[in-house]
Each structure stands twice: as C-alpha cells, then as structure tokens.
Amino acid sequence: HQALQLIAAFRMPARYDTLTALLIGEGKPCADERELDGVLTELEDRGLVGWDKRANRYDLHPLVRGVVWSGLGDDARRGVYTSLHAHFEAVPKIDDYLKVNSLEDLTPAIELYNTLIGLGRYDDACDLFYERLDKATHFRLSVSRQRVELLELLFPDGLEKLPRLNRQDAQAYTLN
C-alpha cells in the first residue's frame, strides 16, 4: 500500500488534507476521496494506522512504522521523500516565529526538515532548522526535547562523530 508507505515517512501524524494532496489525482494511488477513505479505513481496520478523529490525522505505531519503512528499498524511500519534499516545499512558511503557537504550527517545516534528512541533504536541513525552527522551538515553545531529537538526525554516523555537515560553523552550531 502506497498510503501506508507514505504515512510511514512522516515524522509527525499526517493530516488528512496532506494525504489527499499526495495520494489523490492522476498518476497517484487514489482517484478520489472516496477511494482514499476506503484505503485509510481498511488500514485502520487492520490495525496498521491510527486515526485521531478530532484532529483528522493519521499515524502509525512505531513498530509498524519501522517494519513498513525497513521493507522499502532505497529507491522507494527516495521516491517517497521526493514526493513529500515537493509537497512541503510548496507549503507557505510562517515568517515570524512569534506567530507560532504550537508545535503543530511547525509541522510543514518539521516534515520538510525530515525529508531533507531522508534525502541526505544535511546542510540544507541544518539551514532550514536555523531559519525556520530554531527561534520558534527555543524561544516561543521551549521544546528542548524535540529540538534535540531533530538535531540528532544530523548525526547519522552516531553522536560520537561530528554531524554530517560540510561547514565548520554549522557543525559548531549543531554541537552547541
């Protein structure tokens, strides 16, 4: 199921409107919303996807996410990340961090960051973190744990090695 694979690539719960944009249309897995709803209902009935009805978001249990994602080849992963990157790159960004009221407001930026990591574009991910996530997560939301989780993604070789960044100033910023 392409829907399951797509949801597995998200870092945060996937909003229904995002799934419709990515999965419905010509050349996409679903022809219309009815078909997408059927796919999502089947995945939920099978216990593979959880649906938060109030927020209309879909998510996977971490074990399901791990199994689905590890079952994909490198080319399939790159394809999923490329689709997600194109979608989230087009989402309007919040220009003023003072307008951020919750972590959910940062979902598009966090998902874009995650796709850059998945595509191996660590320098671009670091720049995005600094430009769109740094002040909002530090000064506005004070979400230190989430900041650390995001920044640790820049260390694919382990925390005992330097982050996979080309510029020394970016490495120092990330380590700090």
Side-chain angles (χ1 to χ4, degrees):
H1 266 248
Q2 290 179 335
L4 187 62
Q5 294 169 350
L6 184 73
I7 296 170
F10 280 83
R11 179 155 187 87
M12 300 173 75
R15 291 176 27 168
Y16 181 78
D17 59 341
T18 302
L19 294 176
T20 59
L22 291 165
L23 294 169
I24 295 175
E26 195 168 322
K28 295 182 179 178
C30 299
D32 54 31
E33 271 193 66
R34 202 172 94 231
E35 189 176 344
L36 176 61
D37 289 345
V39 168
L40 293 172
T41 300
E42 178 190 337
L43 292 172
E44 185 184 13
D45 289 347
R46 293 173 56 197
L48 297 172
V49 171
W51 179 35
D52 176 354
K53 291 179 179 137
R54 240 185 45 213
N56 203 15
R57 296 182 307 191
Y58 293 82
D59 203 4
L60 302 179
H61 185 280
L63 290 175
V64 174
R65 182 182 312 280
V67 169
V68 169
W69 200 243
S70 66
L72 293 177
D74 290 340
D75 289 343
R77 287 183 194 164
R78 181 168 286 287
V80 171
Y81 279 135
T82 300
S83 295
L84 288 175
H85 180 267
H87 174 77
F88 286 112
E89 182 78 2
V91 172
K93 67 180 181 176
I94 298 173
D95 290 331
D96 182 0
Y97 78 92
L98 294 173
K99 293 179 181 172
V100 173
N101 295 313
S102 69
L103 203 54
E104 189 171 325
D105 293 342
L106 296 175
T107 296
I110 290 170
E111 293 296 352
L112 182 56
Y113 176 86
N114 192 53
T115 63
L116 290 169
I117 295 290
L119 292 169
R121 294 173 51 188
Y122 298 101
D123 290 302
D124 292 337
C126 183
D127 291 345
L128 183 133
F129 184 90
Y130 181 73
E131 293 164 9
R132 294 177 56 185
L133 297 170
D134 184 39
K135 287 181 181 175
T137 57
H138 184 72
F139 297 114
R140 186 76 175 138
L141 302 177
S142 298
V143 288
S144 299
R145 186 175 52 82
Q146 287 85 354
R147 287 172 55 84
V148 169
E149 287 175 5
L150 290 170
L151 289 171
E152 282 180 348
L153 296 174
L154 297 171
F155 294 81
D157 304 315
L159 295 177
E160 61 282 344
K161 304 225 180 198
L162 287 174
R164 198 178 289 177
L165 301 168
N166 291 318
R167 295 186 339 263
Q168 283 186 332
D169 65 324
Q171 289 177 338
Y173 164 78
T174 304
L175 287 167
N176 187 32

